[in-house]
Amino acid sequence: MRANEVEIWWLRPDLIVGGHLQSFDLVLNDEERIRARRFHFADDRRSYICAHALTRCALEAVSGISARDFVFRIGRHGKPEVDAEPEQGRLRFNLSHSRGLVCCAVTWELDIGIDVEGDVRDVDVGDLAAQVFAPDEVACLQRFTGRAHREAFFAMWTVKEAYTKAVGRGLSIPLDAFSVCLNPPSLMIGASLSADPEAGDGEGWSVRLARPVPGYTLAVVARGGSSGALRYRFREVTPDALAALCRVRKSPARMPLESHARRFGWSAVGDRLCVWK
């Protein structure tokens, strides 16, 4: 993977059957296994395991380092990071999971954030937007009606979540301190954030939106997109393909992603590959 590329992998937990979870568990560390067991609901536990196994295998695919060997630390503002030698330390990643869709983004050196939200949640989007969105975003939403109004709200919401995760400060950043534009997807940073070197300015961020499956919105935000030169690859990973990756003890260093696909029978991966420039 080149420095200007971003890999986005996603998987549908509802397609998992049989021994998939046992295979996914093989690449997790003890801390992740313990945390998975703490989830009260089986669906939430399943999504957590899927997201962390998916992220570890994505990191392996782009770096050639075994998925089991990655060690993570919590950064200054609570964002997970790779804790390793300088070469590994150049890797940047982020993950998000819901009951219906899990995803991760991996790149080299770029600050990256990803979020996925289901738009079937029982929430009054108009009332929530009035409470937490910037005035120009509220005005933008008022141009939509019906289903389009709800989809536009969740598109803005996921971009906002992805941006705060990319910066690494989560919801300590007020959601009305920056605005999301949907056409084209972009950010406008308010005066209260523009002087913050970690927050950056709107032109320094690249934004991508996708709806991989009906009812779910996925947003990716990466720092370094002012030139428009970032290349995004969205890949659906089937449970069988992820299970095969998890069962492999050691992968050859720097194996290209397409080699992984051929090796494990991902015959449909190429058909589902979308590239934005």
PDB file of all heavy atoms in Angstrom, residues 58-78:
ATOM      1  N   ALA A  58      -6.510  -6.813   8.291  1.00  0.00           N
ATOM      2  CA  ALA A  58      -6.233  -5.722   7.357  1.00  0.00           C
ATOM      3  C   ALA A  58      -4.831  -5.172   7.572  1.00  0.00           C
ATOM      4  O   ALA A  58      -4.094  -4.900   6.609  1.00  0.00           O
ATOM      5  CB  ALA A  58      -7.269  -4.619   7.508  1.00  0.00           C
ATOM      6  N   LEU A  59      -4.429  -5.019   8.826  1.00  0.00           N
ATOM      7  CA  LEU A  59      -3.073  -4.558   9.121  1.00  0.00           C
ATOM      8  C   LEU A  59      -2.042  -5.553   8.612  1.00  0.00           C
ATOM      9  O   LEU A  59      -0.986  -5.169   8.081  1.00  0.00           O
ATOM     10  CB  LEU A  59      -2.916  -4.358  10.633  1.00  0.00           C
ATOM     11  CG  LEU A  59      -3.632  -3.139  11.226  1.00  0.00           C
ATOM     12  CD1 LEU A  59      -3.682  -3.233  12.753  1.00  0.00           C
ATOM     13  CD2 LEU A  59      -2.946  -1.843  10.797  1.00  0.00           C
ATOM     14  N   GLU A  60      -2.325  -6.842   8.756  1.00  0.00           N
ATOM     15  CA  GLU A  60      -1.404  -7.856   8.234  1.00  0.00           C
ATOM     16  C   GLU A  60      -1.293  -7.773   6.721  1.00  0.00           C
ATOM     17  O   GLU A  60      -0.196  -7.865   6.150  1.00  0.00           O
ATOM     18  CB  GLU A  60      -1.876  -9.256   8.631  1.00  0.00           C
ATOM     19  CG  GLU A  60      -1.034 -10.369   8.014  1.00  0.00           C
ATOM     20  CD  GLU A  60      -1.533 -11.755   8.378  1.00  0.00           C
ATOM     21  OE1 GLU A  60      -2.138 -11.928   9.450  1.00  0.00           O
ATOM     22  OE2 GLU A  60      -1.308 -12.684   7.572  1.00  0.00           O
ATOM     23  N   ALA A  61      -2.429  -7.583   6.060  1.00  0.00           N
ATOM     24  CA  ALA A  61      -2.436  -7.590   4.601  1.00  0.00           C
ATOM     25  C   ALA A  61      -1.614  -6.452   4.010  1.00  0.00           C
ATOM     26  O   ALA A  61      -0.982  -6.612   2.956  1.00  0.00           O
ATOM     27  CB  ALA A  61      -3.875  -7.513   4.082  1.00  0.00           C
ATOM     28  N   VAL A  62      -1.611  -5.289   4.668  1.00  0.00           N
ATOM     29  CA  VAL A  62      -0.870  -4.156   4.112  1.00  0.00           C
ATOM     30  C   VAL A  62       0.579  -4.107   4.573  1.00  0.00           C
ATOM     31  O   VAL A  62       1.403  -3.424   3.962  1.00  0.00           O
ATOM     32  CB  VAL A  62      -1.562  -2.813   4.438  1.00  0.00           C
ATOM     33  CG1 VAL A  62      -2.980  -2.795   3.914  1.00  0.00           C
ATOM     34  CG2 VAL A  62      -1.528  -2.524   5.925  1.00  0.00           C
ATOM     35  N   SER A  63       0.916  -4.841   5.654  1.00  0.00           N
ATOM     36  CA  SER A  63       2.261  -4.735   6.210  1.00  0.00           C
ATOM     37  C   SER A  63       3.076  -6.014   6.135  1.00  0.00           C
ATOM     38  O   SER A  63       4.308  -5.983   6.221  1.00  0.00           O
ATOM     39  CB  SER A  63       2.184  -4.307   7.682  1.00  0.00           C
ATOM     40  OG  SER A  63       1.631  -5.350   8.477  1.00  0.00           O
ATOM     41  N   GLY A  64       2.405  -7.174   5.997  1.00  0.00           N
ATOM     42  CA  GLY A  64       3.112  -8.451   6.021  1.00  0.00           C
ATOM     43  C   GLY A  64       3.416  -8.953   7.416  1.00  0.00           C
ATOM     44  O   GLY A  64       4.005 -10.016   7.582  1.00  0.00           O
ATOM     45  N   ILE A  65       3.020  -8.215   8.451  1.00  0.00           N
ATOM     46  CA  ILE A  65       3.233  -8.617   9.843  1.00  0.00           C
ATOM     47  C   ILE A  65       2.038  -9.437  10.294  1.00  0.00           C
ATOM     48  O   ILE A  65       0.885  -9.084  10.032  1.00  0.00           O
ATOM     49  CB  ILE A  65       3.411  -7.375  10.734  1.00  0.00           C
ATOM     50  CG1 ILE A  65       4.629  -6.572  10.273  1.00  0.00           C
ATOM     51  CG2 ILE A  65       3.545  -7.756  12.201  1.00  0.00           C
ATOM     52  CD1 ILE A  65       4.654  -5.154  10.787  1.00  0.00           C
ATOM     53  N   SER A  66       2.291 -10.556  10.976  1.00  0.00           N
ATOM     54  CA  SER A  66       1.218 -11.439  11.392  1.00  0.00           C
ATOM     55  C   SER A  66       0.165 -10.694  12.211  1.00  0.00           C
ATOM     56  O   SER A  66       0.482  -9.885  13.076  1.00  0.00           O
ATOM     57  CB  SER A  66       1.782 -12.599  12.220  1.00  0.00           C
ATOM     58  OG  SER A  66       0.733 -13.384  12.749  1.00  0.00           O
ATOM     59  N   ALA A  67      -1.100 -11.004  11.930  1.00  0.00           N
ATOM     60  CA  ALA A  67      -2.207 -10.353  12.634  1.00  0.00           C
ATOM     61  C   ALA A  67      -2.106 -10.526  14.143  1.00  0.00           C
ATOM     62  O   ALA A  67      -2.464  -9.622  14.911  1.00  0.00           O
ATOM     63  CB  ALA A  67      -3.536 -10.916  12.134  1.00  0.00           C
ATOM     64  N   ARG A  68      -1.601 -11.670  14.582  1.00  0.00           N
ATOM     65  CA  ARG A  68      -1.504 -11.954  16.015  1.00  0.00           C
ATOM     66  C   ARG A  68      -0.431 -11.118  16.713  1.00  0.00           C
ATOM     67  O   ARG A  68      -0.461 -10.959  17.929  1.00  0.00           O
ATOM     68  CB  ARG A  68      -1.171 -13.434  16.246  1.00  0.00           C
ATOM     69  CG  ARG A  68      -2.212 -14.412  15.766  1.00  0.00           C
ATOM     70  CD  ARG A  68      -1.671 -15.822  15.921  1.00  0.00           C
ATOM     71  NE  ARG A  68      -2.615 -16.849  15.535  1.00  0.00           N
ATOM     72  CZ  ARG A  68      -2.806 -17.249  14.280  1.00  0.00           C
ATOM     73  NH1 ARG A  68      -2.118 -16.686  13.306  1.00  0.00           N
ATOM     74  NH2 ARG A  68      -3.686 -18.198  14.019  1.00  0.00           N
ATOM     75  N   ASP A  69       0.523 -10.618  15.948  1.00  0.00           N
ATOM     76  CA  ASP A  69       1.687  -9.967  16.544  1.00  0.00           C
ATOM     77  C   ASP A  69       1.489  -8.485  16.848  1.00  0.00           C
ATOM     78  O   ASP A  69       2.359  -7.862  17.466  1.00  0.00           O
ATOM     79  CB  ASP A  69       2.904 -10.119  15.628  1.00  0.00           C
ATOM     80  CG  ASP A  69       3.378 -11.573  15.533  1.00  0.00           C
ATOM     81  OD1 ASP A  69       3.000 -12.366  16.427  1.00  0.00           O
ATOM     82  OD2 ASP A  69       4.101 -11.899  14.579  1.00  0.00           O
ATOM     83  N   PHE A  70       0.387  -7.911  16.397  1.00  0.00           N
ATOM     84  CA  PHE A  70       0.192  -6.481  16.638  1.00  0.00           C
ATOM     85  C   PHE A  70      -0.142  -6.214  18.098  1.00  0.00           C
ATOM     86  O   PHE A  70      -0.961  -6.901  18.706  1.00  0.00           O
ATOM     87  CB  PHE A  70      -0.910  -5.931  15.736  1.00  0.00           C
ATOM     88  CG  PHE A  70      -0.456  -5.674  14.331  1.00  0.00           C
ATOM     89  CD1 PHE A  70      -0.693  -6.608  13.333  1.00  0.00           C
ATOM     90  CD2 PHE A  70       0.230  -4.515  14.009  1.00  0.00           C
ATOM     91  CE1 PHE A  70      -0.259  -6.392  12.036  1.00  0.00           C
ATOM     92  CE2 PHE A  70       0.674  -4.286  12.718  1.00  0.00           C
ATOM     93  CZ  PHE A  70       0.428  -5.227  11.734  1.00  0.00           C
ATOM     94  N   VAL A  71       0.539  -5.216  18.644  1.00  0.00           N
ATOM     95  CA  VAL A  71       0.284  -4.750  20.005  1.00  0.00           C
ATOM     96  C   VAL A  71      -0.201  -3.310  19.895  1.00  0.00           C
ATOM     97  O   VAL A  71       0.343  -2.507  19.130  1.00  0.00           O
ATOM     98  CB  VAL A  71       1.556  -4.823  20.867  1.00  0.00           C
ATOM     99  CG1 VAL A  71       1.296  -4.272  22.265  1.00  0.00           C
ATOM    100  CG2 VAL A  71       2.064  -6.261  20.942  1.00  0.00           C
ATOM    101  N   PHE A  72      -1.218  -2.979  20.657  1.00  0.00           N
ATOM    102  CA  PHE A  72      -1.811  -1.655  20.569  1.00  0.00           C
ATOM    103  C   PHE A  72      -1.648  -0.892  21.876  1.00  0.00           C
ATOM    104  O   PHE A  72      -1.536  -1.483  22.951  1.00  0.00           O
ATOM    105  CB  PHE A  72      -3.299  -1.759  20.214  1.00  0.00           C
ATOM    106  CG  PHE A  72      -3.563  -2.543  18.961  1.00  0.00           C
ATOM    107  CD1 PHE A  72      -4.163  -3.790  19.015  1.00  0.00           C
ATOM    108  CD2 PHE A  72      -3.188  -2.043  17.725  1.00  0.00           C
ATOM    109  CE1 PHE A  72      -4.393  -4.521  17.866  1.00  0.00           C
ATOM    110  CE2 PHE A  72      -3.404  -2.764  16.561  1.00  0.00           C
ATOM    111  CZ  PHE A  72      -4.015  -4.008  16.641  1.00  0.00           C
ATOM    112  N   ARG A  73      -1.632   0.413  21.749  1.00  0.00           N
ATOM    113  CA  ARG A  73      -1.591   1.286  22.922  1.00  0.00           C
ATOM    114  C   ARG A  73      -2.667   2.354  22.751  1.00  0.00           C
ATOM    115  O   ARG A  73      -3.210   2.534  21.654  1.00  0.00           O
ATOM    116  CB  ARG A  73      -0.219   1.947  23.033  1.00  0.00           C
ATOM    117  CG  ARG A  73       0.075   2.926  21.910  1.00  0.00           C
ATOM    118  CD  ARG A  73       1.466   3.482  21.975  1.00  0.00           C
ATOM    119  NE  ARG A  73       1.733   4.340  20.816  1.00  0.00           N
ATOM    120  CZ  ARG A  73       2.938   4.661  20.402  1.00  0.00           C
ATOM    121  NH1 ARG A  73       4.005   4.207  21.054  1.00  0.00           N
ATOM    122  NH2 ARG A  73       3.105   5.451  19.353  1.00  0.00           N
ATOM    123  N   ILE A  74      -2.955   3.049  23.823  1.00  0.00           N
ATOM    124  CA  ILE A  74      -3.917   4.143  23.772  1.00  0.00           C
ATOM    125  C   ILE A  74      -3.151   5.448  23.699  1.00  0.00           C
ATOM    126  O   ILE A  74      -2.279   5.716  24.526  1.00  0.00           O
ATOM    127  CB  ILE A  74      -4.838   4.123  25.002  1.00  0.00           C
ATOM    128  CG1 ILE A  74      -5.583   2.795  25.078  1.00  0.00           C
ATOM    129  CG2 ILE A  74      -5.818   5.280  24.950  1.00  0.00           C
ATOM    130  CD1 ILE A  74      -6.434   2.487  23.873  1.00  0.00           C
ATOM    131  N   GLY A  75      -3.454   6.259  22.680  1.00  0.00           N
ATOM    132  CA  GLY A  75      -2.762   7.529  22.484  1.00  0.00           C
ATOM    133  C   GLY A  75      -3.149   8.572  23.508  1.00  0.00           C
ATOM    134  O   GLY A  75      -3.931   8.332  24.437  1.00  0.00           O
ATOM    135  N   ARG A  76      -2.618   9.750  23.313  1.00  0.00           N
ATOM    136  CA  ARG A  76      -2.768  10.829  24.303  1.00  0.00           C
ATOM    137  C   ARG A  76      -4.226  11.169  24.574  1.00  0.00           C
ATOM    138  O   ARG A  76      -4.600  11.493  25.693  1.00  0.00           O
ATOM    139  CB  ARG A  76      -2.018  12.078  23.802  1.00  0.00           C
ATOM    140  CG  ARG A  76      -2.015  13.239  24.781  1.00  0.00           C
ATOM    141  CD  ARG A  76      -0.856  14.172  24.481  1.00  0.00           C
ATOM    142  NE  ARG A  76      -0.893  14.641  23.110  1.00  0.00           N
ATOM    143  CZ  ARG A  76      -1.431  15.811  22.736  1.00  0.00           C
ATOM    144  NH1 ARG A  76      -1.982  16.593  23.655  1.00  0.00           N
ATOM    145  NH2 ARG A  76      -1.419  16.200  21.487  1.00  0.00           N
ATOM    146  N   HIS A  77      -5.070  11.070  23.547  1.00  0.00           N
ATOM    147  CA  HIS A  77      -6.479  11.413  23.721  1.00  0.00           C
ATOM    148  C   HIS A  77      -7.380  10.176  23.725  1.00  0.00           C
ATOM    149  O   HIS A  77      -8.588  10.292  23.551  1.00  0.00           O
ATOM    150  CB  HIS A  77      -6.930  12.363  22.607  1.00  0.00           C
ATOM    151  CG  HIS A  77      -6.211  13.686  22.621  1.00  0.00           C
ATOM    152  ND1 HIS A  77      -6.298  14.559  23.685  1.00  0.00           N
ATOM    153  CD2 HIS A  77      -5.395  14.269  21.708  1.00  0.00           C
ATOM    154  CE1 HIS A  77      -5.573  15.633  23.420  1.00  0.00           C
ATOM    155  NE2 HIS A  77      -5.006  15.477  22.236  1.00  0.00           N
ATOM    156  N   GLY A  78      -6.784   8.999  23.904  1.00  0.00           N
ATOM    157  CA  GLY A  78      -7.592   7.794  24.008  1.00  0.00           C
ATOM    158  C   GLY A  78      -7.786   7.024  22.718  1.00  0.00           C
ATOM    159  O   GLY A  78      -8.534   6.042  22.693  1.00  0.00           O
TER     160      GLY A  78
END
